[in-house]
Amino acid sequence: MSKHHECSVNTARRRFCKLAAAGLGLLAAPAVLGSGEAGAAAPQGGRHLIAYFSRTGNTRTIAGQIQAAAGGELLELRTVTPYPEDYRATTEQAKKELASGYRPPLQTTPPDPAAYDVIFVGSPNWWGTIAPPVMTFLTSADFSGKTIAPFVTHGGSRLGRAVEDIKKLCPKATVLPGLAVYGESVADAQEITAAWLRRNGLAR
Ligand SMILES: Cc1cc2nc3c(=O)[nH]c(=O)nc-3n(C[C@H](O)[C@H](O)[C@H](O)COP(=O)(O)O)c2cc1C
């Protein structure tokens, strides 16, 4: 992990601590009220879809943290043909797929985005952008007028070009500022995830 990254995380943690002092009640409310009660609804009053691809579980962990803090349906994007177990083989395959614009088929047809107000889109940073299965998802349906909240786990390059590339794939969607979490820190990222949700008005 780079020093730069450590600094960013620490800054984010400090920012969270300030916010947490003011917003602790907001975090506690859903646990008290339960998800079915009026006070637990998202600010938009809408439904959340949390769609993500994860090869080794880091992005899945963040997806779970988002669900715990903001509610919503989890959708794991799985490719028909899994990526190789071998890391190096996966990086080589991914490089080729990204260069050629290949969209690997997914095991299931994703639900219609029209049923949701906010679509969280999670991906590992692969070669500086989102993984090809996430590109398949974003090009498989019409996201016009929808709000997309991107989250990325990474090995040091943070969001990379993820947000820009999502905007290119979904030019008529509103794409919120993305969340970047270092892959090895995902287990401790609840506070960073919750602060990002609050900054974007997505915490319940
Ligand atoms: C094909 C491939 C390419 C990657 N490229 C990058 C990269 O460009 N920058 C980076 O910071 N991490 C990169 N990584 C590391 C992953 O982004 C990181 O381990 C991530 O947390 C994995 O998420 P997952 O467990 O949800 O699959 C790459 C990993 C793979 C397998």
Side-chain angles (χ1 to χ4, degrees):
M1 186 180 358
S2 71
K3 219 172 176 146
H4 172 76
H5 171 75
E6 289 275 16
C7 291
S8 307
V9 168
N10 289 338
T11 307
R13 288 228 166 101
R14 272 200 299 279
R15 198 181 304 135
F16 170 80
C17 289
K18 271 194 197 163
L19 289 169
L24 215 56
L26 280 178
L27 266 185
V32 175
L33 294 168
S35 59
E37 299 193 29
Q44 293 84 356
R47 294 177 64 199
H48 293 167
L49 177 66
I50 307 163
Y52 67 94
F53 168 75
S54 184
R55 177 173 161 272
T56 50
N58 294 339
T59 312
R60 185 184 302 118
T61 297
I62 301 301
Q65 292 172 5
I66 290 170
Q67 187 192 40
E73 289 170 36
L74 286 172
L75 173 68
E76 177 157 5
L77 306 171
R78 293 195 185 92
T79 50
V80 172
T81 308
Y83 284 92
E85 292 276 321
D86 181 67
Y87 180 82
R88 199 178 183 84
T90 300
T91 59
E92 281 163 15
Q93 182 176 326
K95 193 177 196 175
K96 283 183 199 149
E97 290 181 357
L98 288 165
S100 66
Y102 178 68
R103 309 275 187 254
L106 302 177
Q107 284 183 18
T108 50
T109 307
D112 186 354
Y116 303 90
D117 296 295
V118 179
I119 296 114
F120 293 88
V121 173
S123 179
N125 180 327
W126 275 15
W127 293 105
T129 188
I130 51 174
V134 181
M135 296 185 177
T136 305
F137 170 69
L138 290 172
T139 52
S140 68
D142 183 9
F143 289 89
S144 301
K146 294 289 145 192
T147 297
I148 294 177
F151 61 102
V152 165
T153 68
H154 63 92
S157 6
R158 302 186 61 81
L159 285 166
R161 301 181 305 280
V163 174
E164 291 84 345
D165 288 349
I166 291 171
K167 284 179 183 169
K168 279 183 201 157
L169 292 169
C170 306
K172 292 185 179 165
T174 299
V175 183
L176 298 176
L179 169 69
V181 182
Y182 185 61
E184 289 181 19
S185 304
V186 292
D188 301 319
Q190 290 93 343
E191 294 178 356
I192 290 169
T193 301
W196 171 71
L197 290 168
R198 282 198 301 276
R199 275 200 303 280
N200 290 288
L202 298 170
R204 60 184 175 185

Coordinates of all heavy atoms in Angstrom, one line a residue, residues 30-99:
P30 N -32.2 3.0 12.0 CA -32.8 1.9 11.3 C -32.8 0.6 12.2 O -33.7 -0.2 12.1 CB -31.9 1.7 10.1 CG -31.2 3.0 9.9 CD -31.1 3.6 11.2
A31 N -31.8 0.5 13.0 CA -31.7 -0.7 13.8 C -32.8 -0.7 14.8 O -33.4 -1.8 15.2 CB -30.3 -0.7 14.6
V32 N -33.3 0.5 15.2 CA -34.3 0.5 16.2 C -35.7 0.4 15.5 O -36.5 -0.4 16.0 CB -34.3 1.9 16.9 CG1 -35.5 2.1 17.9 CG2 -33.0 2.1 17.7
L33 N -35.8 1.0 14.4 CA -37.1 1.0 13.7 C -37.4 -0.2 12.9 O -38.5 -0.6 12.8 CB -37.2 2.2 12.8 CG -37.2 3.6 13.5 CD1 -37.0 4.7 12.4 CD2 -38.5 3.8 14.2
G34 N -36.3 -0.9 12.4 CA -36.5 -2.0 11.5 C -36.8 -1.5 10.1 O -37.3 -0.4 9.9
S35 N -36.5 -2.3 9.1 CA -36.5 -1.9 7.7 C -37.9 -1.6 7.2 O -38.1 -0.9 6.2 CB -35.8 -2.9 6.8 OG -36.4 -4.1 6.9
G36 N -38.9 -2.2 7.8 CA -40.3 -2.0 7.3 C -41.0 -0.7 7.7 O -42.0 -0.4 7.2
E37 N -40.4 0.0 8.6 CA -41.1 1.2 9.2 C -40.7 2.4 8.4 O -39.6 2.6 7.9 CB -40.8 1.3 10.7 CG -41.2 0.0 11.4 CD -41.2 0.2 12.9 OE1 -41.4 1.3 13.3 OE2 -41.0 -0.8 13.6
A38 N -41.6 3.4 8.5 CA -41.5 4.6 7.7 C -40.2 5.3 7.9 O -39.6 5.8 7.0 CB -42.7 5.5 8.0
G39 N -39.7 5.4 9.1 CA -38.5 6.2 9.5 C -37.3 5.6 8.9 O -36.2 6.2 8.8
A40 N -37.3 4.3 8.4 CA -36.1 3.7 7.9 C -35.9 3.8 6.4 O -35.0 3.4 5.9 CB -36.2 2.2 8.3
A41 N -36.9 4.5 5.8 CA -36.8 4.6 4.3 C -35.6 5.5 3.9 O -35.2 6.4 4.6 CB -38.1 5.2 3.7
A42 N -35.1 5.2 2.7 CA -34.0 6.1 2.1 C -34.6 7.5 1.9 O -35.8 7.6 1.7 CB -33.5 5.5 0.8
P43 N -33.7 8.5 1.9 CA -34.2 9.9 1.8 C -35.0 10.1 0.5 O -36.0 10.8 0.5 CB -32.9 10.7 1.7 CG -31.9 9.9 2.4 CD -32.3 8.5 2.1
Q44 N -34.7 9.4 -0.6 CA -35.4 9.5 -1.8 C -36.7 8.8 -1.7 O -37.6 8.9 -2.6 CB -34.6 9.0 -3.0 CG -33.4 9.8 -3.3 CD -32.2 9.4 -2.5 OE1 -32.3 8.5 -1.6 NE2 -31.1 10.0 -2.7
G45 N -36.9 7.9 -0.7 CA -38.1 7.1 -0.6 C -38.1 6.0 -1.7 O -39.1 5.4 -1.9
G46 N -37.0 5.8 -2.3 CA -36.9 4.9 -3.4 C -36.2 3.5 -3.1 O -35.8 3.3 -2.0
R47 N -36.2 2.7 -4.1 CA -35.6 1.4 -3.9 C -34.1 1.4 -4.3 O -33.8 2.1 -5.3 CB -36.4 0.3 -4.6 CG -37.8 0.1 -4.1 CD -38.5 -0.9 -4.9 NE -37.9 -2.2 -4.9 CZ -38.1 -3.2 -5.7 NH1 -38.9 -2.9 -6.8 NH2 -37.5 -4.3 -5.6
H48 N -33.3 0.6 -3.6 CA -31.9 0.5 -4.0 C -31.6 -0.9 -4.5 O -32.0 -1.9 -4.0 CB -31.0 0.7 -2.7 CG -31.1 2.1 -2.1 ND1 -30.6 2.3 -0.9 CD2 -31.5 3.2 -2.6 CE1 -30.7 3.6 -0.6 NE2 -31.3 4.2 -1.6
L49 N -30.8 -0.9 -5.6 CA -30.3 -2.1 -6.1 C -28.7 -2.0 -5.9 O -28.1 -1.0 -6.3 CB -30.6 -2.3 -7.6 CG -30.0 -3.6 -8.3 CD1 -30.6 -4.8 -7.7 CD2 -30.2 -3.6 -9.8
I50 N -28.1 -3.0 -5.3 CA -26.7 -3.0 -5.1 C -26.1 -4.1 -6.0 O -26.0 -5.3 -5.6 CB -26.4 -3.3 -3.6 CG1 -27.2 -2.3 -2.7 CG2 -24.9 -3.1 -3.4 CD1 -27.3 -2.7 -1.3
A51 N -25.7 -3.8 -7.2 CA -25.2 -4.7 -8.2 C -23.6 -4.7 -8.1 O -23.0 -3.6 -8.1 CB -25.6 -4.4 -9.6
Y52 N -23.0 -5.8 -8.1 CA -21.5 -5.8 -7.9 C -21.0 -7.1 -8.5 O -21.6 -8.1 -8.6 CB -21.1 -5.7 -6.5 CG -21.5 -6.9 -5.7 CD1 -20.6 -8.0 -5.5 CD2 -22.8 -7.1 -5.1 CE1 -20.9 -9.1 -4.8 CE2 -23.1 -8.2 -4.4 CZ -22.2 -9.2 -4.3 OH -22.6 -10.4 -3.6
F53 N -19.7 -7.0 -9.0 CA -18.9 -8.1 -9.4 C -17.7 -8.2 -8.4 O -17.2 -7.2 -8.0 CB -18.4 -8.0 -10.8 CG -17.3 -9.0 -11.2 CD1 -17.7 -10.3 -11.4 CD2 -16.0 -8.6 -11.2 CE1 -16.7 -11.2 -11.7 CE2 -15.0 -9.6 -11.5 CZ -15.4 -10.9 -11.8
S54 N -17.4 -9.4 -8.0 CA -16.3 -9.6 -7.1 C -15.6 -10.9 -7.3 O -16.3 -12.0 -7.2 CB -16.8 -9.5 -5.6 OG -15.7 -9.6 -4.7
R55 N -14.3 -10.9 -7.7 CA -13.7 -12.2 -7.9 C -13.1 -12.8 -6.6 O -13.2 -14.0 -6.5 CB -12.5 -12.0 -8.9 CG -11.7 -13.2 -9.2 CD -10.7 -13.0 -10.3 NE -9.7 -14.0 -10.3 CZ -8.5 -13.9 -9.6 NH1 -8.3 -12.8 -8.8 NH2 -7.6 -14.9 -9.6
T56 N -12.6 -12.0 -5.7 CA -12.0 -12.5 -4.5 C -12.7 -12.1 -3.2 O -12.2 -12.3 -2.1 CB -10.5 -12.2 -4.5 OG1 -10.3 -10.8 -4.7 CG2 -9.8 -13.0 -5.5
G57 N -13.9 -11.4 -3.3 CA -14.7 -11.1 -2.1 C -14.6 -9.7 -1.6 O -15.4 -9.3 -0.8
N58 N -13.6 -8.9 -2.0 CA -13.5 -7.6 -1.4 C -14.7 -6.7 -1.8 O -15.2 -6.0 -0.9 CB -12.2 -6.9 -1.9 CG -10.9 -7.6 -1.4 OD1 -11.0 -8.3 -0.4 ND2 -9.8 -7.4 -2.1
T59 N -15.0 -6.6 -3.0 CA -16.1 -5.8 -3.4 C -17.4 -6.3 -2.8 O -18.3 -5.5 -2.5 CB -16.2 -5.7 -5.0 OG1 -14.9 -5.4 -5.5 CG2 -17.1 -4.6 -5.4
R60 N -17.5 -7.6 -2.7 CA -18.7 -8.2 -2.0 C -18.9 -7.7 -0.6 O -20.0 -7.4 -0.1 CB -18.6 -9.7 -2.1 CG -19.9 -10.4 -1.5 CD -19.8 -11.9 -1.5 NE -19.4 -12.5 -2.8 CZ -18.3 -13.2 -3.1 NH1 -17.4 -13.4 -2.1 NH2 -18.1 -13.6 -4.3
T61 N -17.8 -7.6 0.1 CA -17.8 -7.1 1.5 C -18.4 -5.7 1.5 O -19.2 -5.4 2.4 CB -16.4 -7.1 2.1 OG1 -16.0 -8.5 2.1 CG2 -16.4 -6.6 3.5
I62 N -17.9 -4.8 0.6 CA -18.4 -3.4 0.6 C -19.9 -3.4 0.2 O -20.7 -2.7 0.8 CB -17.6 -2.6 -0.3 CG1 -16.1 -2.5 0.1 CG2 -18.2 -1.1 -0.4 CD1 -15.8 -2.0 1.5
A63 N -20.3 -4.3 -0.7 CA -21.7 -4.4 -1.0 C -22.6 -4.7 0.2 O -23.6 -4.1 0.4 CB -21.9 -5.4 -2.1
G64 N -22.1 -5.6 1.0 CA -22.8 -6.0 2.2 C -22.9 -4.8 3.2 O -23.9 -4.6 3.9
Q65 N -21.8 -4.0 3.3 CA -21.8 -2.9 4.2 C -22.8 -1.8 3.7 O -23.5 -1.2 4.5 CB -20.4 -2.3 4.3 CG -19.4 -3.2 5.0 CD -18.0 -2.7 4.9 OE1 -17.7 -1.6 4.4 NE2 -17.1 -3.5 5.4
I66 N -22.9 -1.7 2.4 CA -23.9 -0.7 1.8 C -25.3 -1.2 2.2 O -26.1 -0.4 2.6 CB -23.6 -0.5 0.3 CG1 -22.3 0.2 0.0 CG2 -24.8 0.2 -0.3 CD1 -21.9 0.2 -1.4
Q67 N -25.5 -2.4 2.0 CA -26.9 -2.9 2.3 C -27.2 -2.7 3.7 O -28.3 -2.3 4.1 CB -27.0 -4.4 1.9 CG -28.4 -4.9 2.0 CD -28.5 -6.4 2.0 OE1 -27.7 -7.2 2.5 NE2 -29.6 -6.9 1.3
A68 N -26.2 -3.0 4.6 CA -26.5 -2.8 6.1 C -26.8 -1.4 6.4 O -27.7 -1.1 7.3 CB -25.3 -3.3 6.8
A69 N -26.2 -0.4 5.7 CA -26.3 1.0 6.1 C -27.4 1.7 5.3 O -28.0 2.7 5.8 CB -25.0 1.7 5.9
A70 N -27.7 1.2 4.1 CA -28.6 2.0 3.2 C -29.8 1.1 2.8 O -30.8 1.7 2.2 CB -27.9 2.5 2.0
G71 N -29.8 -0.2 3.1 CA -30.9 -1.0 2.6 C -30.7 -1.3 1.1 O -29.9 -0.7 0.4
G72 N -31.6 -2.2 0.6 CA -31.5 -2.5 -0.8 C -31.3 -4.0 -1.1 O -31.1 -4.8 -0.2
E73 N -31.5 -4.3 -2.4 CA -31.3 -5.7 -2.9 C -29.9 -5.9 -3.4 O -29.5 -5.1 -4.2 CB -32.3 -6.0 -4.0 CG -33.8 -6.1 -3.6 CD -34.7 -6.1 -4.8 OE1 -34.3 -6.7 -5.8 OE2 -35.8 -5.5 -4.8
L74 N -29.3 -7.0 -3.0 CA -28.0 -7.3 -3.5 C -28.1 -8.1 -4.8 O -29.0 -9.0 -4.9 CB -27.2 -8.2 -2.4 CG -26.7 -7.4 -1.2 CD1 -26.1 -8.5 -0.2 CD2 -25.6 -6.4 -1.6
L75 N -27.3 -7.8 -5.7 CA -27.2 -8.6 -7.0 C -25.8 -8.8 -7.3 O -25.1 -7.9 -7.7 CB -27.9 -7.8 -8.1 CG -27.8 -8.4 -9.5 CD1 -28.6 -9.7 -9.6 CD2 -28.2 -7.4 -10.6
E76 N -25.3 -10.1 -7.1 CA -24.0 -10.4 -7.5 C -23.9 -10.8 -9.0 O -24.7 -11.6 -9.5 CB -23.4 -11.6 -6.7 CG -22.0 -12.0 -7.1 CD -21.2 -12.7 -6.1 OE1 -21.7 -13.0 -5.0 OE2 -20.0 -13.0 -6.4
L77 N -23.1 -10.1 -9.7 CA -22.9 -10.3 -11.2 C -21.9 -11.5 -11.3 O -20.8 -11.3 -11.0 CB -22.4 -9.0 -11.9 CG -23.3 -7.8 -11.6 CD1 -22.6 -6.5 -12.2 CD2 -24.7 -7.9 -12.2
R78 N -22.4 -12.6 -11.9 CA -21.5 -13.7 -12.1 C -21.4 -14.0 -13.6 O -22.5 -14.1 -14.3 CB -22.1 -15.0 -11.4 CG -22.1 -14.8 -9.8 CD -22.3 -16.2 -9.2 NE -22.4 -16.1 -7.8 CZ -23.5 -16.0 -7.1 NH1 -24.7 -15.9 -7.7 NH2 -23.5 -15.9 -5.8
T79 N -20.2 -14.3 -14.0 CA -20.1 -14.6 -15.5 C -20.4 -16.0 -15.7 O -20.2 -16.9 -14.9 CB -18.6 -14.3 -15.9 OG1 -17.7 -14.9 -15.0 CG2 -18.3 -12.8 -15.9
V80 N -20.9 -16.3 -16.9 CA -21.2 -17.7 -17.3 C -19.9 -18.5 -17.2 O -19.9 -19.6 -16.7 CB -21.7 -17.7 -18.8 CG1 -21.8 -19.1 -19.3 CG2 -23.0 -17.0 -18.9
T81 N -18.8 -18.0 -17.7 CA -17.5 -18.6 -17.6 C -16.7 -17.9 -16.5 O -16.3 -16.7 -16.7 CB -16.7 -18.6 -18.9 OG1 -17.6 -19.1 -19.9 CG2 -15.4 -19.5 -18.8
P82 N -16.4 -18.6 -15.4 CA -15.7 -17.9 -14.3 C -14.2 -17.5 -14.8 O -13.7 -18.1 -15.6 CB -15.6 -18.9 -13.2 CG -16.6 -19.9 -13.5 CD -16.7 -19.9 -15.0
Y83 N -13.7 -16.4 -14.2 CA -12.3 -16.1 -14.4 C -11.4 -17.1 -13.8 O -11.8 -17.8 -12.9 CB -12.0 -14.7 -13.9 CG -12.6 -13.6 -14.7 CD1 -13.9 -13.1 -14.5 CD2 -11.9 -13.1 -15.8 CE1 -14.4 -12.1 -15.3 CE2 -12.5 -12.1 -16.6 CZ -13.7 -11.6 -16.4 OH -14.3 -10.7 -17.2
P84 N -10.2 -17.3 -14.4 CA -9.3 -18.3 -13.8 C -9.0 -18.1 -12.3 O -9.0 -17.0 -11.9 CB -8.0 -18.1 -14.7 CG -8.4 -17.3 -15.9 CD -9.6 -16.5 -15.5
E85 N -8.7 -19.2 -11.7 CA -8.3 -19.1 -10.3 C -6.9 -18.3 -10.2 O -6.7 -17.6 -9.2 CB -8.0 -20.5 -9.7 CG -9.3 -21.3 -9.5 CD -10.0 -21.0 -8.2 OE1 -9.3 -20.8 -7.2 OE2 -11.2 -21.0 -8.3
D86 N -6.1 -18.5 -11.2 CA -4.8 -17.9 -11.2 C -4.8 -16.4 -11.4 O -5.4 -15.9 -12.4 CB -3.9 -18.6 -12.3 CG -2.5 -18.1 -12.3 OD1 -1.8 -18.3 -11.3 OD2 -2.2 -17.4 -13.3
Y87 N -4.2 -15.7 -10.5 CA -4.2 -14.2 -10.6 C -3.7 -13.7 -11.9 O -4.3 -12.9 -12.6 CB -3.5 -13.6 -9.4 CG -3.4 -12.1 -9.3 CD1 -4.5 -11.4 -8.8 CD2 -2.3 -11.4 -9.8 CE1 -4.5 -10.0 -8.8 CE2 -2.3 -10.0 -9.8 CZ -3.4 -9.3 -9.3 OH -3.4 -7.9 -9.3
R88 N -2.5 -14.2 -12.2 CA -1.8 -13.7 -13.4 C -2.6 -14.0 -14.7 O -2.8 -13.1 -15.6 CB -0.4 -14.3 -13.5 CG 0.5 -13.6 -14.4 CD 1.9 -14.2 -14.5 NE 2.8 -13.4 -15.3 CZ 3.4 -12.3 -14.9 NH1 3.3 -12.0 -13.6 NH2 4.2 -11.7 -15.7
A89 N -3.2 -15.2 -14.7 CA -4.0 -15.5 -15.9 C -5.2 -14.6 -16.0 O -5.6 -14.2 -17.1 CB -4.5 -17.0 -15.8
T90 N -5.8 -14.3 -14.8 CA -6.9 -13.4 -14.8 C -6.5 -12.0 -15.3 O -7.3 -11.3 -16.1 CB -7.6 -13.3 -13.4 OG1 -8.0 -14.6 -13.0 CG2 -8.8 -12.3 -13.4
T91 N -5.4 -11.5 -14.9 CA -5.0 -10.2 -15.3 C -4.8 -10.1 -16.8 O -5.1 -9.2 -17.5 CB -3.7 -9.7 -14.6 OG1 -2.6 -10.6 -14.8 CG2 -3.9 -9.5 -13.1
E92 N -4.2 -11.2 -17.4 CA -4.0 -11.3 -18.8 C -5.3 -11.3 -19.6 O -5.5 -10.6 -20.6 CB -3.1 -12.4 -19.2 CG -1.6 -12.1 -18.8 CD -0.7 -13.4 -18.8 OE1 -1.2 -14.5 -19.2 OE2 0.4 -13.3 -18.2
Q93 N -6.2 -12.1 -19.1 CA -7.5 -12.2 -19.7 C -8.2 -10.9 -19.7 O -8.8 -10.4 -20.7 CB -8.4 -13.3 -19.1 CG -9.7 -13.5 -19.7 CD -10.5 -14.7 -19.1 OE1 -9.9 -15.7 -18.7 NE2 -11.8 -14.5 -19.1
A94 N -8.2 -10.3 -18.5 CA -8.9 -9.0 -18.3 C -8.3 -7.9 -19.2 O -9.1 -7.1 -19.8 CB -8.8 -8.6 -16.9
K95 N -7.0 -7.9 -19.4 CA -6.4 -6.9 -20.2 C -6.9 -7.1 -21.7 O -7.2 -6.1 -22.3 CB -4.9 -7.1 -20.2 CG -4.0 -6.0 -20.7 CD -2.6 -6.3 -20.6 CE -1.7 -5.1 -20.7 NZ -0.3 -5.4 -20.4
K96 N -7.0 -8.3 -22.1 CA -7.4 -8.5 -23.5 C -8.9 -8.1 -23.6 O -9.3 -7.5 -24.6 CB -7.3 -10.0 -23.9 CG -5.9 -10.4 -24.2 CD -5.8 -11.9 -24.6 CE -4.4 -12.4 -24.5 NZ -4.3 -13.9 -24.1
E97 N -9.7 -8.5 -22.6 CA -11.1 -8.2 -22.7 C -11.4 -6.7 -22.7 O -12.2 -6.2 -23.5 CB -11.9 -8.8 -21.5 CG -12.0 -10.3 -21.6 CD -12.7 -10.9 -20.4 OE1 -13.1 -10.2 -19.5 OE2 -12.9 -12.1 -20.4
L98 N -10.6 -5.9 -21.9 CA -10.8 -4.5 -21.9 C -10.3 -3.8 -23.2 O -10.9 -2.9 -23.7 CB -10.0 -3.9 -20.7 CG -10.6 -4.2 -19.3 CD1 -9.6 -3.9 -18.2 CD2 -11.9 -3.4 -19.1
A99 N -9.2 -4.4 -23.7 CA -8.7 -3.8 -25.0 C -9.7 -4.0 -26.2 O -9.8 -3.2 -27.0 CB -7.3 -4.4 -25.3

